Amino acid sequence: MSWTRGLLAALAVCVLLLTGSASCGSSDAREGKNGESVSPVGKVLNHTDKQGRHYREVQKKGAPEVGIEVQPDVHDTWDVRLTVRNFRFSPGDASPRARAGRGVAYVFVDDRLVTRLRGLTYRLPARLVPRGTHHVTARLYADDGTVWAVKGEPVESTADITASEAAGAPGGGPDASGSPGAGGGPGAGGGPGVSALSASGTYTRTGGRGSPERAGKAS
């Protein structure tokens, strides 16, 4: 009968799709080892950041990279500048799905989210940086909210800054420093208000991996 032939044909198509790493009525993602989700863009891990967003693991070759540099600026602000490689910022109306090398940058001060960036620059208000040393981190996220990661570590870069005035106002120039956390303290570095210890564009991931580059060389 004709309906029987139609059913058999549909089943045959489904079997063909299965042999081609697809399935009838399933999404693009599939389950890998240890219950981890495997998708066409990397592998979603069980591990999350402190905000509960899952890591999206990709191979090191061609993976997104980010660098951060923070300098005191006028008008009670800090000038935050990012450099990126193998990464493009998505527009605000981008669909919430992961695409290779696309997404947004989240900026944290001491693990507290202060802004989501779709560009390379940001003015950090001094009121968010009270007296003392603080860690300013830029971390890259895919458009679906997952964290880009390499070898189980988030793609991020951190710069240390030290505000010596109670209000955190950038009143002085930066210390010369080649790596986060190197030397200095409140009032050091020739300026009466602030000493800035920044990564100077170093590409860094948690655990200290990444290759140093000067800011502005990334494309």
Side-chain angles (χ1 to χ4, degrees), residues 45-92:
L45 308 179
N46 288 327
H47 191 61
T48 67
D49 65 5
K50 292 184 178 180
Q51 289 71 40
R53 298 177 179 89
H54 286 271
Y55 287 8
R56 182 175 293 274
E57 176 91 21
V58 293
Q59 293 184 353
K60 183 177 180 180
K61 183 177 180 181
E65 294 180 280
V66 63
I68 186 171
E69 185 174 5
V70 184
Q71 299 288 347
D73 204 351
V74 295
H75 307 306
D76 293 345
T77 61
W78 293 84
D79 182 27
V80 179
R81 293 183 179 272
L82 307 185
T83 51
V84 295
R85 176 178 291 168
N86 303 322
F87 184 80
R88 292 178 62 190
F89 290 96
S90 298

Side-chain angles (χ1 to χ4, degrees), residues 85-214:
R85 176 178 291 168
N86 303 322
F87 184 80
R88 292 178 62 190
F89 290 96
S90 298
D93 59 354
S95 60
R97 63 184 179 86
R99 291 176 294 171
R102 299 295 294 267
V104 299
Y106 286 22
V107 177
F108 301 87
V109 175
D110 300 330
D111 294 325
R112 179 167 57 94
L113 177 64
V114 295
T115 190
R116 298 174 177 85
L117 289 184
R118 298 186 183 274
L120 295 174
T121 60
Y122 173 63
R123 287 187 181 274
L124 176 64
R127 60 181 173 78
L128 299 178
V129 187
R131 182 188 179 102
T133 298
H134 305 275
H135 312 295
V136 183
T137 299
R139 185 180 302 145
L140 298 184
Y141 290 75
D143 291 318
D144 65 348
T146 53
V147 185
W148 290 115
V150 175
K151 294 185 177 180
E153 301 290 353
V155 176
E156 63 181 26
S157 181
T158 298
D160 289 354
I161 60 175
T162 300
S164 62
E165 294 181 349
D175 279 347
S177 172
S179 63
V194 169
S195 62
L197 311 177
S198 76
S200 299
T202 301
Y203 290 110
T204 310
R205 297 189 183 94
T206 298
R209 292 198 301 272
S211 58
E213 295 278 357
R214 290 296 300 171

